[in-house]
Amino acid sequence: MQQNYYAVIMAGGVGSRFWPVSTTQFPKQFHDMLGKGDSLLQRTFKRLSTLIPKENILIATNAIYKELVLEQLPECTEKQLLLEPAMRNTAPCILYAALKIQQKDPNAVMVVAPSDHWIDNEQEFINNIQTAFIACEKNDILMTLGIQPNSPNTGYGYIKFENNDSEIKKVINFTEKPDLETATKFLESGDYVWNAGIFIWSVKSIVKAFQNYLPEMNTLFCEGNKAYNTNLEDDFINNNYQKAENISIDYGIMQKAENIYTLPVEFGWNDLGTWSSLHEKLEKDEDNNAVVNAKTIFNDASGNMVSTTKYKHVVIQGLEDFIVVEKEDVLLICPKKNEQDIKQIVSQVKEKFGKDLV
């Protein structure tokens, strides 16, 4: 393992579209969503630790999840946790991580990866990260992994690249969640990949990018350079983090910088953003029904996604393309075509039944 390899796992989201399993107090990254024995966070940590020393893997999360992270990742120390005292999107968190790593190792290269994605071919993923690390060690570039699209999906951002013989492609532009007609054209052109939100760069290159494109944020966080990796770090972050602009790394850096490159990859990726995306990854019966934990009988039923507490007995009669999710004292039954309404449903539940359920 290369001692100058680092990772930042982003584990602060709530995942409200996976309600009622995912809640503010126990979000989806801490759940074994596919019934495989590991939570999504644990799986992500294990995957990255095959290339990156465990002590070089940082977990960025909300301060309220500190104990959950330490419980699920006993190999991590508190020094590896980046505890955000306020929600400020991805740019401030990534700058904080980069400066903290730079104080320890100015020659570091780092990958930033979400905690809640599913990857089928984990060895291929690691090979791709290794390729990107080598490129970023040699060049002043900011890289993102681009997923080869297999459908005109309108739920993902798209990256247009210069289509040449190089393995690593220069990025031309980004497009946020296009309509179906546009996504279809993108797919047909062969010049686009999905934006997976997995980034690789040297700490020198990303800090330089913040200096150029988000100078106020850079100045704010550089005031803590003497505090990072000391017992003064928590006080500095608690007193200053909320002052940072609320902006994503995509809008703040990636869509502005000129030195953006992508590595088109195929390792079986799913962002597990919705119940339907989970349905895609699970084994299904002959009628396309997928089940997590439950013991089921399906009669005249197809295309359903069923998730319950362990060993719950469930009988589904006459339903097609529904989400049926049970968790303790909550039951959700929703057509898959309306799953984007779950965020709104969560607001209704909070208003009528109280915040403890969400």
Side-chain angles (χ1 to χ4, degrees), residues 32 40 56 63 68 73 82 98 107 114 123 127 160 169 186 220-222 238 260 270 278 282 310 339 345-346 349:
D32 178 11
L40 296 175
N56 289 1
L68 264 177
L73 301 176
L82 305 179
N107 296 314
Q123 186 56 56
N127 293 343
K160 184 177 184 181
K169 315 286 188 181
F186 287 174
L220 171 66
F221 280 91
C222 281
N238 289 332
I260 308 297
N270 191 303
L278 179 61
L282 292 168
K310 281 208 170 185
E339 70 175 346
I345 291 169
V346 169
V349 170

Side-chain angles (χ1 to χ4, degrees), residues 1-293:
M1 290 186 182
Q2 297 289 333
Q3 290 303 311
N4 69 320
Y5 285 3
Y6 288 78
V8 179
I9 299 176
M10 309 293 281
V14 175
S16 58
R17 286 179 294 179
F18 270 108
W19 185 86
V21 168
S22 182
T23 64
T24 302
Q25 294 302 313
F26 207 102
K28 69 171 179 175
Q29 61 268 26
F30 301 109
H31 287 275
D32 178 11
M33 296 298 298
L34 284 85
K36 300 291 187 180
D38 288 322
S39 72
L40 296 175
L41 172 62
Q42 290 170 325
R43 189 80 179 218
T44 302
F45 187 91
K46 287 181 180 179
R47 181 187 310 130
L48 290 169
S49 66
T50 63
L51 176 67
I52 298 163
K54 289 183 178 180
E55 64 272 19
N56 289 1
I57 301 176
L58 307 180
I59 314 298
T61 190
N62 191 287
I64 66 173
Y65 304 134
K66 174 182 175 179
E67 299 306 323
L68 264 177
V69 173
L70 292 174
E71 178 184 337
Q72 293 206 353
L73 301 176
E75 53 269 81
C76 280
T77 67
E78 290 191 27
K79 293 179 180 179
Q80 292 169 250
L81 306 188
L82 305 179
L83 300 176
E84 305 163 61
M87 297 184 74
R88 287 294 181 272
N89 218 311
T90 52
C93 178
I94 288 171
L95 177 56
Y96 169 27
L99 291 172
K100 180 177 171 69
I101 293 169
Q102 188 178 48
Q103 285 295 308
K104 184 179 177 183
D105 184 352
N107 296 314
V109 288
M110 57 187 282
V111 55
V112 179
S115 60
D116 53 1
H117 289 183
W118 184 261
I119 289 168
D120 288 328
N121 190 338
E122 297 193 330
Q123 186 56 56
E124 181 66 15
F125 169 82
I126 290 300
N127 293 343
N128 294 146
I129 297 295
Q130 177 84 72
T131 297
F133 273 170
I134 292 170
C136 291
E137 282 183 306
K138 296 178 179 178
N139 305 283
D140 178 21
I141 58 177
L142 307 177
M143 285 189 62
T144 179
L145 298 189
I147 307 299
Q148 296 282 10
N150 54 23
S151 67
N153 195 306
T154 58
Y156 300 139
Y158 283 70
I159 302 169
K160 184 177 184 181
F161 58 84
E162 292 182 0
N163 205 342
N164 50 41
D165 293 334
S166 301
E167 182 180 21
I168 296 171
K169 315 286 188 181
K170 180 80 167 64
V171 169
I172 298 173
N173 59 47
F174 292 81
T175 301
E176 288 294 321
K177 296 181 180 180
D179 59 31
L180 182 59
E181 181 180 356
T182 303
T184 301
K185 290 179 180 177
F186 287 174
L187 197 68
E188 291 171 350
S189 76
D191 298 338
Y192 288 82
V193 286
W194 289 334
N195 184 2
I198 302 171
F199 307 105
I200 306 95
W201 39 57
S202 69
V203 292
K204 291 177 184 176
S205 292
I206 191 60
V207 170
K208 179 181 175 182
F210 272 97
Q211 291 169 351
N212 291 337
Y213 301 107
L214 290 172
E216 290 184 8
M217 187 182 296
N218 183 70
T219 298
L220 171 66
F221 280 91
C222 281
E223 290 175 1
N225 277 340
K226 292 183 179 180
Y228 299 133
N229 303 309
T230 75
N231 56 11
L232 301 176
E233 180 177 329
D234 288 348
D235 284 343
F236 174 80
I237 290 299
N238 289 332
N239 291 331
N240 292 280
Y241 196 90
Q242 68 272 15
K243 299 176 186 176
E245 180 182 357
N246 188 337
I247 189 170
S248 70
I249 194 71
D250 298 87
Y251 284 111
I253 301 291
M254 303 301 284
Q255 295 185 20
K256 297 177 182 178
E258 299 294 327
N259 59 334
I260 308 297
Y261 287 76
T262 189
L263 176 64
V265 295
E266 291 185 270
F267 43 63
W269 172 86
N270 191 303
D271 74 339
L272 292 186
T274 64
W275 286 110
S276 287
S277 65
L278 179 61
H279 179 270
E280 290 176 15
K281 295 310 300 179
L282 292 168
E283 292 184 12
K284 291 169 274 289
D285 67 12
E286 63 275 11
D287 294 312
N288 203 32
N289 297 300
V291 177
V292 176
N293 292 329

